Amino acid sequence: MRVVAPFLWAVVGTVWALEEGNVGSLYDQHFPPLHANCTQSLIDLLLMRQEVQLKELKEEEKVSSGILREMADILTDIRGSLTLISTSSEAPCPGNFIKFGETCLYLARDTSVTWEAARDYCHGLGGDLAVFRDANAFAEALNYAKGSGLPNPAHIWVGGSDISLEGEWKWISGEDMPRGTPFWGGYNYVREPAGGLRENCANLFSGDGFLIHDVSCASKYIPLCQIKNT
Ligand SMILES: [Ca+2]
């Protein structure tokens, strides 16, 4: 009976407080209204949070794009390796020929024949004198010649001439030969080809790093044979 009495008094007091309209003051006591400045601070805080989240998103985006770039690079490398493997496994070079990109080359260093005889020699091996459609293919042939240990001076026949029409240099494949750098060399400060009607066949001359020079087709030089394997 002694415990019940204070409890009843508390209930009565609460009812009285409610009836007296003190609900608002009780609410305000626990949840005070935001001051005008405080509201501003809250907005600032929310904006700052948004800003931080945006920055974090941007960072994540950077990381994601970086990973994608790395993945693309890896895929490109894999594709390149697969192409190399399939090319090399599909078409190995025959005999003494060495693979350079899409072609096989063979420098017949112990042979010394005229330009026409050099073509016949290469025909006998299943190919023809070498032609170079671009600077990369030409550079590969030069490296092959430079690494072959030929004595200086040395001359190497390649498949280009202006036999059909003076001044119109063509590969034996029928395409126009490129002119100027980095293909043709110079002789006595004059850019080749400069031999006119006397010199109608193309050779690589060791004197200036195996660049192309026009010479007499009757000269006897080393054939550079080529077999295309594509
Ligand atoms: Ca000529």
Side-chain angles (χ1 to χ4, degrees), residues 184-195 198-199 205 207-208 211-214:
W184 291 83
Y187 191 72
N188 286 339
Y189 305 104
V190 177
R191 172 70 69 180
E192 301 277 43
R198 290 174 294 106
E199 300 183 348
F205 176 47
D208 59 2
L211 295 180
I212 301 175
H213 292 253
D214 57 335

Side-chain angles (χ1 to χ4, degrees), residues 34 54 109 120 124 132-133 150 162 176 213 216 226 228:
L34 290 171
L54 277 172
R109 51 178 301 147
D120 291 340
F132 316 107
R133 290 214 175 84
L150 289 174
D162 70 339
D176 290 339
H213 292 253
S216 164
Q226 180 180 52
K228 294 189 191 314

